[in-house]
Amino acid sequence: MNGLDLTGLTVMPSQVWGGVRLVPLVRTEPVPGLRLHHEIYDRAIGEVQVGPRAHYLSYVPHGFIADWSGDGGQQAAYGSRLAPSADGGADCVPVRMHHRLAKRRRSKGVSEQRLRFLPLHLALEGYLALHFGGPSVVWDEWSQQAVRQGLSPRAEAAYAGWQVPGLGQALRIFEIHPGQCGVLVYTADSLAAAFVVPHPDDYRALHPSLIEDLYGELVYQYAHFSGDVPDFEVRIGGERHIRTLADLRLAARGQERNWVQGHDALMSARLLGPSYRFDRVYRMDRFALWRFLPSFSRSEPEQHIGEAICDHRGRVAYLKTFRLSDAQIRRGHLLDRLHDHDWHLDRTAEAMGVSRTQLVRRVEDAGFGSLLKHGAERASAR
Amino acid sequence: MAGTAGTVADLIAAEDVLLFVNAAVTSTGQREFHSGAGEQRLSLAFLHEYVRINYRPLYAAVLALDINDHNAARIVVDLLRTADEATSAQKRSEGRLIAARLAALPPQRVYRVFRALRTAGVNNRRTRAIQRDWLAARPDLGHDAVKYRSGLKTVARHAHQPLGSELGNFLFRPGKTARYADARLDAYRRARYEQGAIYELPFTVAEGFAAKHGVPRALFLERIAPRMTRLERLRTQRSTGMPTDLTAMPLTRLALFVLSLSRQERHARRTELTGALRAAAARVAGPHAGGWGRVSAVLDDSYSSSGSGVKRRRPLAVALGAHFLLEALAGSYRAHWLSGGSDALLVRPWGPSPLGTRVLDALEDSPDRLVIVSDGWDNAPPGLAGEVLRIWRTRLDGERRTSVVHLNPVYDADAFDVRRLAPSVPTAGVRDAEDLAALVEIAQFAEGRTGLPELLAYLDRRADAFLTGRGGDER
């Protein structure tokens, strides 16, 4: 698997509010055998156990539950419920423990056909854990901290949806299409996030969850500084040839097709075009939960990380993406190249066509300065 | 000012006034689906000031139109507040319009107007005379003293109106009089101690006393029933289970009530509800019933027609009311709901707004009239409705066999007007489906084919009808 396959999803005309454009994705029929619903956590700050002795703290407003039992008994949950009043004191931040990012649900000791996972955390962890362990060979230039703890701290800043200007209002007034199973969110006409679910009812229930999701800093900045984006208004040309109502209807249909083609070519190509590195997290019957990372190549302007549930033919049933900022892409690129050359500074510098001093500066600029020993740029290669 | 100043200025004046009329019909300064209350109020305040300063006689004349109560009250206050800007002849005609409008407004609105006048520090002779005349025309001041106590108190104090010793004591020296001759005032006095007395009071006042005495809600509603107004009865109908006579309700009110019921309930009471809606529509249509020829309608039941928390389902209710009214007015009638549904009684605000496609469907019926009731947000795809209507007008129907009218129940605060679909299609704001016929008339001015003289004549006509009492009660 190296690309996203959105077969079965049709683009409908976008709805614009200020700098935010929402493009609905409609399925003619829902994906059989898989449903998604979410559980809301009363404590938005969660501690997630990712390994035997590894935990991280993060903003986790809700988890998704993928249900492939297919018995239809588990329907999409209603949007919200009343949480009991927080018993923790006001002066501390309550934390909820999540065991594992993706965890199969058990009921009375029997594992169910249901999987709980934390949306976007798989993808983010995939990005943060990019070469989690740090140097695989103990080169002189790397500090003891880098060797023992790897790339630490692993932290990325993100904005919650309600902090992105205009997004809340855009989601509120958005008119959901019948059969809609997904949405593409654009800010300043640049793709901010893609969200796809298997069933229209799931989408209806999960649509408000978009406001609680994480968005990259680029999305926030674009929404903050961009003006209103223009609506793609229909313009029917060639009126001279329209003589009957049927001609007019034909022309209108043509305009709708134009929008779909224009959108696919102009806007979503940057999501679907590039190839990704996929990493399977969990397999459930005919479906598999994947996370993916972009190529981090410097030539691609927009890069997304994300997670997807695909069926056995590779078609996407669930998709959620996170737009990386340029700085994040640069960091990923740098770590990628270091990994390719076993974290050997000289070989990496040579491969990247820069001097060793420049490479060290780049590592420091990327925020990884503490991993290098003082004076690493002067230490000679062994 | 008509005619002499040049046609461009005339056109602008006509456009400005129509803009204002649309706003005054649709906006109530409350939250709408797309814009917040603050934006609405700001936008409306600007329009009021602009029109008042530039076209003062027209500003006053708008009182004679079917504008909503919020704007009527605002115009009254603004006119009285800025009386020094008017000539004496203008003042005279304004005074008559104001008096007629106040008589048509619900009393709680009028008391609010008087309070606003007090806040604004307006207390000239003319204002006092207007207040005196209005109070003199009230049928039962005892009732007002109980139900609108603070309102009556404010106006009596502000306008120095003597109210008679008993009313004066009731309002200003409570507890002084041991017993009132007026039964209502006495019931109010006794209601503090005696449960039986609360059932002699108006419903809203009695409600407070019932809560104070801890009367069970069901028992209270049952015993107060004869004192309730029609609307209060309708509002509490769900909890009391008492059947209400729906056939006497006004059309849009009734549509709002129908939409407040669940779909199952609407389905179960189909004959009753449809009958009531048809009866209300037939009453509005009156002598024009069946006289409109072939009519097609495009009606908006997209998600945005759900309105806002304060104007819940208003746009959808207008569409539903218009559906039944057009059915009564038309010789043959076809409705096209945006959702594609055909059962008007079960409509719900749901899904996108494919206006363009539905307009095409409606034009295929080759109707004499096409009526579009929509908030003007066209999103699937955006702008298609405008293009379809433009090409229809320029290429396919140059002879204007079909007249197209767009009625919009939502004021767009950003554009200072209701949203239009196409420049060639006349658009008018609508608040109550009952006004549909009158609005279709005013919409023709918006097309730009008739100028200011015609508009002035129309306004004069409406003002005359309003003052002589023929037009005032049409709504």
Side-chain angles (χ1 to χ4, degrees):
Chain A
M1 233 180 118
N2 61 356
L4 291 167
D5 179 11
L6 292 184
T7 319
L9 285 160
T10 327
V11 171
M12 298 305 259
S14 64
Q15 295 177 28
V16 169
W17 185 259
V20 180
R21 178 191 302 281
L22 299 173
V23 178
L25 298 168
V26 171
R27 278 188 213 278
T28 38
E29 53 187 66
V31 174
L34 183 72
R35 294 297 297 267
L36 268 189
H37 63 113
H38 68 162
E39 52 181 15
I40 296 169
Y41 302 132
D42 48 351
R43 288 158 185 185
I45 304 290
E47 180 183 355
V48 184
Q49 187 186 5
V50 286
R53 276 184 300 281
H55 301 262
Y56 74 88
L57 278 172
S58 179
Y59 166 77
V60 189
H62 49 241
F64 281 178
I65 292 178
D67 174 16
W68 68 98
S69 57
D71 59 1
Q74 193 64 54
Q75 294 297 320
Y78 285 115
S80 65
R81 65 184 154 189
L82 294 173
S85 60
D87 38 26
D91 53 347
C92 62
V93 181
V95 173
R96 187 192 162 94
M97 271 291 292
H98 300 279
H99 186 247
R100 292 293 208 214
L101 283 163
K103 183 168 181 173
R104 190 151 174 176
R105 275 305 176 86
R106 293 177 150 272
S107 140
K108 299 192 182 96
V110 184
S111 59
E112 296 179 0
Q113 303 272 71
R114 301 205 286 151
L115 179 77
R116 190 270 290 136
F117 60 94
L118 305 177
L120 272 185
H121 281 251
L122 285 170
L124 270 180
E125 194 219 21
Y127 171 74
L128 292 170
L130 196 66
H131 320 301
F132 220 51
S136 45
V137 181
V138 189
W139 305 105
D140 268 359
E141 299 87 349
W142 299 97
S143 70
Q144 286 299 315
Q145 188 204 338
V147 174
R148 292 218 182 97
Q149 294 171 14
L151 301 169
S152 176
R154 300 171 200 111
E156 284 297 333
Y159 290 88
W162 46 266
Q163 290 172 305
V164 177
L167 184 64
Q169 176 80 344
L171 287 171
R172 183 180 72 74
I173 63 170
F174 178 74
E175 301 191 324
I176 298 174
H177 285 252
Q180 184 174 347
C181 284
V183 70
L184 300 172
V185 182
Y186 293 86
T187 51
D189 271 348
S190 127
L191 186 62
F195 179 48
V196 174
V197 295
H199 195 281
D201 289 353
D202 296 345
Y203 184 80
R204 218 158 250 285
L206 296 178
H207 175 78
S209 78
L210 281 165
I211 191 70
E212 292 191 318
D213 277 336
L214 302 170
Y215 296 89
E217 68 182 69
L218 209 58
V219 174
Y220 175 79
Q221 286 167 359
Y222 280 3
H224 205 85
F225 296 116
S226 92
D228 293 1
V229 292
D231 217 339
F232 274 100
E233 296 231 337
V234 170
R235 286 280 168 271
I236 298 178
E239 302 150 42
R240 282 175 290 114
H241 306 296
I242 296 176
R243 295 215 167 73
T244 62
L245 215 50
D247 293 347
L248 185 53
R249 193 181 282 275
L250 216 62
R253 286 267 162 73
Q255 289 297 311
E256 283 171 35
R257 264 200 310 281
N258 275 358
W259 154 251
V260 174
Q261 284 160 2
H263 173 267
D264 288 353
L266 263 173
M267 304 179 88
S268 65
R270 292 194 173 161
L271 176 68
L272 302 178
S275 67
Y276 295 93
R277 270 176 289 161
F278 279 84
D279 174 16
R280 194 169 71 200
V281 182
Y282 201 90
R283 234 185 86 185
M284 31 193 179
D285 210 7
R286 292 187 294 118
F287 300 99
L289 176 61
W290 304 78
R291 66 173 165 225
F292 54 84
L293 291 172
S295 61
F296 293 116
S297 104
R298 305 291 298 276
S299 56
E300 283 173 20
E302 278 184 24
Q303 304 204 7
H304 301 263
I305 57 173
E307 61 207 17
I309 295 178
C310 300
D311 67 2
H312 58 288
R313 277 187 283 180
R315 285 176 310 187
V316 169
Y318 160 79
L319 173 72
K320 212 169 182 49
T321 68
F322 179 90
R323 168 88 187 266
L324 294 177
S325 71
D326 283 352
Q328 285 169 323
I329 296 173
R330 274 201 300 278
R331 274 205 293 277
H333 176 71
L334 192 64
L335 291 179
D336 228 18
R337 305 317 297 267
L338 280 168
H339 176 75
D340 286 348
H341 299 94
D342 285 334
W343 297 82
H344 191 286
L345 286 180
D346 283 326
R347 290 214 294 266
T348 312
E350 194 184 336
M352 290 171 77
V354 294
S355 76
R356 179 193 173 87
T357 323
Q358 281 171 318
L359 178 64
V360 169
R361 189 158 304 144
R362 273 166 83 161
V363 171
E364 280 169 353
D365 287 350
F368 299 129
S370 64
L371 300 179
L372 288 169
K373 274 182 185 162
H374 182 64
E377 72 271 30
R378 287 191 305 277
S380 60
R382 307 272 149 95
Chain B
M1 61 192 292
T4 51
T7 45
V8 177
D10 269 11
L11 262 182
I12 292 173
E15 256 177 35
D16 284 349
V17 172
L18 287 170
L19 199 79
F20 178 63
V21 170
N22 281 341
V25 167
T26 49
S27 178
T28 49
Q30 287 168 309
R31 193 145 50 85
E32 293 283 0
F33 186 77
H34 287 96
S35 60
E39 293 163 62
Q40 289 268 334
R41 270 204 300 274
L42 198 65
S43 174
L44 201 59
F46 165 75
L47 267 188
H48 270 271
E49 197 166 332
Y50 176 76
V51 176
R52 193 194 76 227
I53 291 173
N54 287 300
Y55 316 101
R56 186 165 175 115
L58 296 179
Y59 184 65
V62 167
L63 280 176
L65 302 183
D66 297 319
I67 60 173
N68 64 44
D69 293 346
H70 173 81
N71 287 296
R74 190 170 182 135
I75 293 175
V76 169
V77 173
D78 279 4
L79 285 178
L80 291 175
R81 201 165 50 78
T82 59
D84 52 341
E85 291 168 15
T87 64
S88 57
Q90 278 176 356
K91 277 189 200 167
R92 248 192 312 284
S93 71
E94 278 171 20
R96 287 168 60 218
L97 279 165
I98 289 172
R101 188 74 210 197
L102 287 184
L105 279 178
Q108 68 272 26
R109 286 270 182 196
V110 180
Y111 282 118
R112 211 183 296 168
V113 166
F114 292 163
R115 195 169 301 152
L117 287 172
R118 186 186 179 187
T119 315
V122 182
N123 196 5
N124 46 42
R125 197 160 58 90
R126 187 161 67 118
T127 308
R128 282 205 298 277
I130 285 170
Q131 290 173 336
R132 184 195 61 222
D133 291 349
W134 186 79
L135 283 178
R138 289 298 292 161
D140 181 5
L141 275 182
H143 172 266
D144 280 20
V146 170
K147 191 165 179 176
Y148 312 112
R149 190 187 168 109
S150 72
L152 185 61
K153 219 164 131 175
T154 310
V155 61
R157 185 178 279 151
H158 182 54
H160 314 299
Q161 297 292 336
L163 288 172
S165 65
E166 194 174 68
L167 263 181
N169 281 345
F170 177 79
L171 289 176
F172 295 106
R173 306 173 69 197
K176 279 281 173 191
T177 314
R179 173 156 301 168
Y180 295 102
D182 187 312
R184 202 88 44 109
L185 301 185
D186 205 50
Y188 187 88
R189 179 185 63 80
R190 279 184 291 126
R192 277 184 68 189
Y193 318 104
E194 185 191 332
Q195 277 200 23
I198 64 177
Y199 301 106
E200 296 168 32
L201 294 169
F203 172 68
T204 47
V205 184
E207 227 176 359
F209 281 114
K212 180 173 126 56
H213 289 300
V215 183
R217 180 80 178 163
L219 178 75
F220 169 69
L221 286 177
E222 193 193 321
R223 292 194 56 191
I224 196 74
R227 294 261 155 203
M228 286 163 132
T229 64
R230 199 173 49 189
L231 192 59
E232 283 161 356
R233 215 166 291 157
L234 191 69
R235 237 177 240 158
T236 53
Q237 194 219 24
R238 192 79 54 80
S239 51
T240 53
M242 270 184 293
T244 319
D245 183 23
L246 294 178
T247 48
M249 296 296 296
L251 183 58
T252 310
R253 249 315 131 60
L254 189 60
L256 275 167
F257 172 71
V258 168
L259 292 176
S260 77
L261 301 175
S262 72
R263 281 158 68 99
Q264 285 94 329
E265 201 169 341
R266 282 187 243 170
H267 191 71
R269 297 169 63 181
R270 179 182 290 277
T271 25
E272 181 202 353
L273 296 175
T274 315
L277 281 164
R278 291 232 163 95
R283 229 178 12 250
V284 176
H288 303 292
W292 275 29
R294 295 154 62 84
V295 177
S296 279
V298 174
L299 303 165
D300 189 349
D301 61 343
S302 69
Y303 177 50
S304 61
S305 69
S306 58
S308 68
V310 282
K311 299 177 89 174
R312 202 170 283 254
R313 289 183 285 261
R314 182 98 207 177
L316 186 58
V318 171
L320 183 61
H323 170 79
F324 282 96
L325 182 55
L326 287 171
E327 193 183 59
L329 285 170
S332 76
Y333 170 69
R334 288 197 64 180
H336 300 269
W337 292 92
L338 287 193
S339 62
S342 57
D343 192 343
L345 205 62
L346 297 186
V347 286
R348 55 174 176 163
W350 198 81
S353 318
L355 264 175
T357 323
R358 290 292 171 269
V359 169
L360 272 171
D361 292 348
L363 287 175
E364 258 172 19
D365 308 338
S366 55
D368 298 328
R369 281 173 198 262
L370 169 63
V371 180
I372 303 167
V373 182
S374 156
D375 60 6
W377 291 81
D378 175 23
N379 60 25
L384 182 59
E387 283 295 281
V388 166
L389 288 167
R390 178 178 68 85
I391 292 175
W392 168 257
R393 201 35 106 219
T394 53
R395 297 288 311 167
L396 302 177
D397 186 35
E399 314 89 83
R400 295 176 175 270
R401 275 168 283 129
T402 305
S403 75
V404 183
V405 175
H406 173 208
L407 296 177
N408 191 331
V410 181
Y411 175 65
D412 186 17
D414 291 337
F416 296 105
D417 198 358
V418 293
R419 256 174 103 91
R420 284 162 191 285
L421 289 178
S424 61
V425 176
T427 305
V430 58
R431 177 169 163 80
D432 290 311
E434 291 90 313
D435 307 333
L436 190 136
L439 289 167
V440 168
E441 196 181 348
I442 204 169
Q444 76 194 20
F445 295 110
E447 212 172 350
R449 293 201 299 153
T450 37
L452 186 64
E454 287 92 337
L455 179 64
L456 286 175
Y458 172 77
L459 282 176
D460 278 349
R461 240 184 5 259
R462 288 297 299 260
D464 282 346
F466 182 65
L467 289 174
T468 51
R470 278 180 288 123
D473 294 318
E474 262 179 20
R475 54 203 321 273

